[in-house]
Amino acid sequence: MLIGEVARRSGVSARMLRHYESLGLLGTTRRTGSGYRAYSDEDIRRIFHIESLRSLGLSLRDVARALDDPGFTPAALVADLVRRTRERLAAETELLTRLGRIAAAEPAGWEDVLRTVALLQALGSPSAPDRQRAALSTVGDRPVPVAALVEAVLAEPDPNVAGALRWALARSGADGLALLAEGLGSPAAEVRERAVRTVAELPRDEATALLRTALDHADPVVRGQAALALGARGLTEAVPTLIEMIVEEGGAGNDADAADALGALAGDSAAADRIAGALVAHLADDALGPSTRRRLAQALADVPGPLAARALTELSHDEDRAVALTAAYGLVLRTRR
């Protein structure tokens, strides 16, 4: 078969076939009486083997070793190809993400592009102060890539930087709630907590709707942070979760905050009675330990009305001294208000 026919059937150009021959990948081909290269069936099979190995990312040198070295084993080489391919994909994915963020910022000119690139680099800096300055610099007249802010806040371990990023996101005027909702579904607990804390600082109605959804989240930390945020917005649907934070052992460390939120929600007599009634209902459980009764007493101290006062009076005679003292002190505080 002549070189032109081989090139047509194999998809390998005549120039590349000559290159393979010059490198020794193909043996010296026979010539016709007119001096044209003639390829045998074995040559054709080898060409297809070469192309198959090249499609895996092997260099021509590695292809030659694979085809001609009887002692050559592919395992280590394939493992190295896997590693390099993953690195290349990660780099290209990062580049694609960066380009998408620049496009989302709708740059008016190259100055805007350069500014966005500088911001993205600063947000990824290993220096916490640099990341904080970058977050604070985003508030202005120019558009900000909101996806970059959301990703940064979800990954930020430094509380000061995270606070600056939440502040910047709240003032950006952009809608990052869809991305934050994805953060609430993250398998990483720390990412879920950062997401709900960020949503809590967004003032828009859509943020309130997402916080309401988070009240049913499987993660108690997410439920608790959502309830505290909704309580601060005066929404009474947070009450059951706030009480759960008080009753459950430790309340994810926020039982005192939950008690304060309940006290703030008990602004009128009807709400106060409902909250006090729910707290008192838990006191009827004989299986409650002293620490839970003490936390309930602390919460009742912040709830106005006669129902809470009666419950505190009963708790002031509790068999556990710490519970009794807490309830008694709660009654004293109520008289001072």
Side-chain angles (χ1 to χ4, degrees), residues 289-291 293-294 315-326:
S291 60
R293 296 200 304 277
R294 179 177 54 78
L315 286 170
S316 67
H317 301 291
D318 194 273
E319 60 184 15
D320 185 89
R321 181 170 175 77
V323 175
L325 288 174
T326 299

Side-chain angles (χ1 to χ4, degrees), residues 168-181:
L169 190 59
R171 285 155 181 78
S172 68
D175 187 4
L177 285 170
L179 296 171
L180 290 169

Side-chain angles (χ1 to χ4, degrees), residues 251-318:
N254 289 318
D255 49 284
D257 293 334
D260 290 341
L262 287 173
L265 288 171
D268 59 74
S269 58
D273 286 344
R274 287 197 302 271
I275 292 171
L279 293 169
V280 170
H282 283 284
L283 287 170
D285 184 357
D286 294 333
L288 287 184
S291 60
T292 304
R293 296 200 304 277
R294 179 177 54 78
R295 292 196 301 274
L296 286 168
Q298 289 174 328
L300 285 164
D302 291 326
V303 179
L307 183 56
R310 287 197 299 272
L312 285 171
T313 300
E314 292 181 13
L315 286 170
S316 67
H317 301 291
D318 194 273

Side-chain angles (χ1 to χ4, degrees), residues 11 41 138 150 172 223 306 316:
D41 290 344
T138 61
V150 172
S172 68
R223 291 198 305 271
S316 67

